[in-house]
Amino acid sequence: MAERRLLVLFGSQTGTAQDTAERIGREATRRHLRCRVEALDSCDVANLIHEPLVVFVCATTGQGDPPDNMKVFWRFLFRKNLPAGSLCQLDYAVLGLGDSSYPKFNFVAKKLHKRLLQLGGNPLLPVALGDDQHDLGPDAVVDPWLVALWDKILALYPLPPGLEIISPDVRLPPKYTLRYLPEDSPHPDSDLLQPPARRAAPCELHPFAARVVSNQRLTAQSHFQDVRLIEFDIAGSGITFSAGDVVMIQPQNCPEDVQQFCQLLLLEPHRRFVLEPTEPGTPLPPLLPQPCTIHYLVTHYLDISCVPRRSFFELLASFSTNELEREKLQEFSSAQGQEELYSYCNRPRRTTLEALWDFPHTTCAIPADYLLDLIPRIRPRAFSIASSLLAHPERMQILVAVVRYKTRLSKPRRGLCSTWLASLDPEQGDVRVPLWVKKGGMKFPADPATPVIMIGPGTGVAPFRAVIQERVALGRRGNCLFFGCRYKSKDFYCQTEWEELVTKGLLTLFTAFSRDQEEKVYVQHRIRENGRLVWELLSSRNAHVYLAG
């Protein structure tokens, strides 16, 4: 009998595709298939020729781009020299997750499906196109597609005699067990983020702990929006970047939330543990030291402030000993309960920690072994770099709008990363932030004579500040900036810097302060008013136009 094994590969940017891939992995385990779930870039693509059965789950980002953790795979798969029949032994299915409000809806999934066909793969089903815009989200497509997928797979790989599909009422074992260490065992202080000994350029698995040099509020105290200019010292990091690049920052949970979480789940923050995989061969989660403390795990790893997904409630229901709570949790994890879940979680942006508060009997029964199955890891956040190394050697600056807004919940919603960054005070000692740099999507003209027209309202001006600093340092003129905000006196970021450059003849600046007069004025009005100049730059000087929001 053919070996019953399945490989599930995902390309995920925000975690949705990974969550769906892990769901398929759990459903495969219930059908007694040997299953591995991996990011596309973690698997060796050359080994695809030996895989009998693969399910691809991939998101589309930006303008039809593949997610970061499948870019290497993508380049390999589209190499011209791959032989046409190289995947003829492969049965596969592609599940796409996208948003139909974008022109290139599910572009990556469609293109992947087509390419696998070209290489001789055998599709088990037509490509599935999950849509965020649907009332029930992607699950409206995913749920029926998975029912059809399991029918196909079980027809090819029937259940071994005497085995049945494991019922959804039976809880699957956790991915890892937490083995607590005796309280008196010696321990290095792993809670301190040490600046690592440098090997290669910093990356997600080896971020650089950059010292915060300054954290300055740019908006008036009376202004509703708190915007910061934060500067990091990157000396000795090996980090280089140019205008348009992006810095990735790994945030952490605030101490109050960490304390509440530990109290709710009856966890002792100082306890130390090592993680042991349940299935031999399962890699340990990167970025978690071994051994580790509960405090470190909850502060730096578990995303207790994210809006929980359907899979969270499904697993939570399995721990519940309280009938009332269990019924509600089961409803939230059912296909029929998705509208209810949306209005409980997504609409008011309720956090995982707040959801746990609402199910107290279940929460105190969560076994620590399941923490990493229940709660996803904290994702890094991307910021446009707002400075140039030519103007500020060994330094990096970012412009951060602190996210804070109201929903129907009494407590204001706060952005995890921006709130944490804003709270860092370099006056209080050595404050460090784990970061690394990624190439940005904006490429600026190599020819020094080419003018650039930059449209950057609000914090969208960040990458243009980097460009202008770089171009001014290289003696390039033809810098034209359209900047917009609400009030000249309250949120005109970097005003003195721009005005100095204008005085020196190095920048042409047009500003739109939308609330400073009766009728609202935005950057598009200023572009229209200066249409002649803009057209002149475009038609006779071949200017490039950039827009950032």
Side-chain angles (χ1 to χ4, degrees):
M1 186 173 165
E3 190 190 359
R4 304 178 76 252
R5 75 170 200 261
L6 167 67
L7 176 60
V8 182
L9 296 173
F10 64 85
S12 186
Q13 196 71 19
T14 60
T16 310
Q18 180 174 351
D19 184 66
T20 305
E22 283 166 356
R23 170 186 171 184
I24 296 171
R26 290 191 296 275
E27 293 188 10
T29 304
R30 293 189 182 280
R31 287 159 180 80
H32 305 279
L33 285 142
R34 270 191 43 220
C35 183
R36 286 196 346 265
V37 179
E38 289 182 9
L40 276 151
D41 279 357
S42 308
C43 91
D44 183 354
V45 199
N47 282 341
L48 269 188
I49 56 170
H50 306 303
E51 290 295 337
L53 182 59
V54 181
V55 175
F56 297 88
V57 185
C58 41
T60 296
T61 68
Q63 302 302 312
D65 304 315
D68 290 337
N69 63 4
M70 68 176 281
K71 288 202 154 110
V72 177
F73 165 84
W74 199 243
R75 281 196 295 275
F76 180 91
L77 198 71
F78 285 91
R79 279 175 25 185
K80 298 273 187 287
N81 59 356
L82 295 184
S86 46
L87 295 180
C88 59
Q89 87 315 323
L90 174 72
D91 288 325
Y92 75 91
V94 176
L95 165 53
L97 297 172
D99 182 324
S100 58
S101 66
Y102 284 79
K104 294 200 165 178
F105 171 55
N106 263 316
F107 183 74
V108 171
K110 293 173 187 169
K111 199 168 168 183
L112 172 62
H113 182 71
K114 209 165 152 184
R115 181 61 175 151
L116 293 169
L117 264 178
Q118 281 176 353
L119 294 171
N122 317 303
L124 295 177
L125 289 171
V127 58
L129 306 174
D131 184 9
D132 245 358
Q133 292 297 318
H134 192 285
D135 288 347
L136 300 178
D139 286 345
V141 167
V142 175
D143 289 356
W145 187 83
L146 282 178
V147 171
L149 179 73
W150 293 122
D151 285 349
K152 292 272 187 196
I153 289 176
L154 288 180
L156 288 170
Y157 300 93
L159 284 166
L163 285 181
E164 307 224 327
I165 295 176
I166 301 169
S167 146
D169 303 333
V170 177
R171 190 196 312 152
L172 296 173
K175 205 184 250 180
Y176 307 101
T177 36
L178 266 76
R179 186 166 60 77
Y180 284 116
L181 299 176
E183 306 243 358
D184 53 2
S185 59
H187 59 283
D189 194 355
S190 63
D191 258 26
L192 287 175
L193 186 68
Q194 297 296 344
R198 289 271 39 94
R199 293 178 309 283
C203 59
E204 183 160 8
L205 296 181
H206 305 285
F208 175 71
R211 186 172 63 83
V212 179
V213 179
S214 62
N215 180 350
Q216 179 195 351
R217 180 170 172 144
L218 296 188
T219 43
Q221 287 299 335
S222 60
H223 191 54
F224 76 99
Q225 174 88 74
D226 179 357
V227 175
R228 304 297 178 101
L229 181 66
I230 301 178
E231 181 169 58
F232 302 106
D233 179 354
I234 55 166
S237 66
I239 288 177
T240 59
F241 58 86
S242 47
D245 286 349
V246 167
V247 61
M248 303 300 293
I249 290 181
Q250 185 65 44
Q252 60 186 58
N253 291 309
C254 72
E256 301 79 49
D257 285 0
V258 172
Q259 190 186 348
Q260 273 190 17
F261 181 85
C262 291
Q263 282 170 352
L264 269 175
L265 277 83
L266 313 176
L267 296 166
E268 299 172 67
H270 65 277
R271 284 303 297 273
R272 293 165 63 251
F273 64 87
V274 287
L275 280 183
E276 293 174 345
T278 312
E279 287 282 317
T282 306
L284 289 170
L287 300 172
L288 266 189
Q290 287 268 65
C292 183
T293 63
I294 292 287
H295 182 268
Y296 188 96
L297 173 74
V298 182
T299 303
H300 298 280
Y301 196 83
L302 299 179
D303 197 352
I304 58 177
S305 75
C306 70
V307 175
R309 302 175 190 273
R310 176 177 167 182
S311 56
F312 167 86
F313 294 97
E314 196 178 314
L315 184 52
L316 203 53
S318 73
F319 306 131
S320 192
T321 48
N322 177 290
E323 202 177 329
L324 212 66
E325 288 187 8
R326 187 170 60 242
E327 277 178 13
K328 193 67 192 168
L329 292 165
Q330 284 170 339
E331 181 191 348
F332 282 160
S333 53
S334 70
Q336 301 73 41
Q338 289 314 289
E339 275 185 58
E340 185 79 11
L341 176 61
Y342 188 85
S343 56
Y344 170 72
C345 263
N346 304 65
R347 197 166 288 122
R349 309 303 296 163
R350 193 183 302 271
T351 69
T352 295
L353 181 58
E354 288 168 330
L356 291 170
W357 272 110
D358 285 347
F359 296 92
H361 299 91
T362 308
T363 295
C364 64
I366 297 171
D369 286 347
Y370 281 93
L371 285 175
L372 283 93
D373 296 82
L374 187 65
I375 300 170
R377 71 175 177 89
I378 298 174
R379 299 253 157 197
R381 308 313 203 243
F383 293 89
S384 292
I385 298 172
S387 61
S388 165
L389 286 169
L390 298 178
H392 303 274
E394 303 197 323
R395 294 281 196 264
M396 176 196 288
Q397 298 175 352
I398 57 171
L399 210 51
V400 180
V402 182
V403 177
R404 188 174 187 274
Y405 57 96
K406 282 289 292 175
T407 65
R408 64 179 168 79
L409 301 178
S410 57
K411 210 172 150 199
R413 309 291 87 195
R414 292 174 183 276
L416 173 68
C417 190
S418 60
T419 305
W420 173 61
L421 287 172
S423 75
L424 301 176
D425 181 1
E427 315 265 296
Q428 300 296 309
D430 191 25
V431 186
R432 292 188 179 258
V433 168
L435 52 77
W436 64 98
V437 165
K438 253 175 50 178
K439 276 275 151 260
M442 287 188 180
K443 297 282 173 280
F444 293 91
D447 179 356
T450 307
V452 288
I453 299 170
M454 296 159 279
I455 305 153
T459 50
V461 80
F464 301 138
R465 184 172 178 260
V467 184
I468 292 166
Q469 287 183 0
E470 191 170 287
R471 287 175 61 88
V472 165
L474 294 169
R476 294 181 181 179
R477 292 174 180 269
N479 306 312
C480 176
L481 174 66
F482 288 88
F483 173 75
C485 63
R486 290 192 175 202
Y487 307 96
K488 183 174 183 175
S489 61
K490 292 185 179 179
D491 55 338
F492 186 2
Y493 316 135
C494 313
Q495 177 179 357
T496 33
E497 191 176 326
W498 303 136
E499 289 173 347
E500 273 174 30
L501 292 173
V502 171
T503 310
K504 290 176 181 164
L506 298 168
L507 177 67
T508 306
L509 175 68
F510 299 102
T511 52
F513 305 112
S514 62
R515 307 295 199 280
D516 273 348
Q517 60 286 307
E518 199 57 19
E519 69 297 340
K520 291 182 181 158
V521 176
Y522 296 110
V523 284
Q524 59 268 34
H525 298 115
R526 295 293 184 236
I527 294 169
R528 192 174 292 136
E529 286 165 19
N530 296 281
R532 183 170 263 163
L533 167 72
V534 172
W535 176 242
E536 151 73 14
L537 288 171
L538 289 173
S539 60
S540 54
R541 296 186 51 201
N542 208 11
H544 291 198
V545 181
Y546 300 87
L547 175 66

